[in-house]
Amino acid sequence: MEANVAYYCLHKIHKWPHEFLSLDRYERAFVIAAVQLKLEHDKKEADKAKAGKYR
């Protein structure tokens, strides 16, 4: 899981993986939760757009 979030940090927020991995566990947990919320939101928006496309 942390490797996936480190990859996301590199590509989306332009932070090196070692910067993410050097955070203490509470900060890493916050970043992981924030990334999960962002991905869920993006998926819902994509689903809405897809549903609207077929109407």
Side-chain angles (χ1 to χ4, degrees), residues 18-48:
H18 73 84
E19 292 176 290
F20 167 72
L21 295 171
S22 68
L23 298 173
D24 70 35
R25 69 183 196 165
Y26 297 107
E27 291 174 319
R28 274 196 317 267
F30 174 80
V31 172
I32 290 169
V35 168
Q36 287 176 332
L37 286 173
K38 171 74 170 126
L39 292 175
E40 289 172 12
H41 177 266
D42 290 352
K43 182 175 178 356
K44 286 179 185 177
E45 290 297 314
D47 290 344
K48 275 188 204 175

Side-chain angles (χ1 to χ4, degrees), residues 5-25:
V5 175
Y7 177 84
Y8 182 89
C9 288
L10 176 65
H11 288 281
K12 296 293 183 178
I13 59 176
H14 308 290
K15 294 291 182 188
W16 290 104
H18 73 84
E19 292 176 290
F20 167 72
L21 295 171
S22 68
L23 298 173
D24 70 35
R25 69 183 196 165

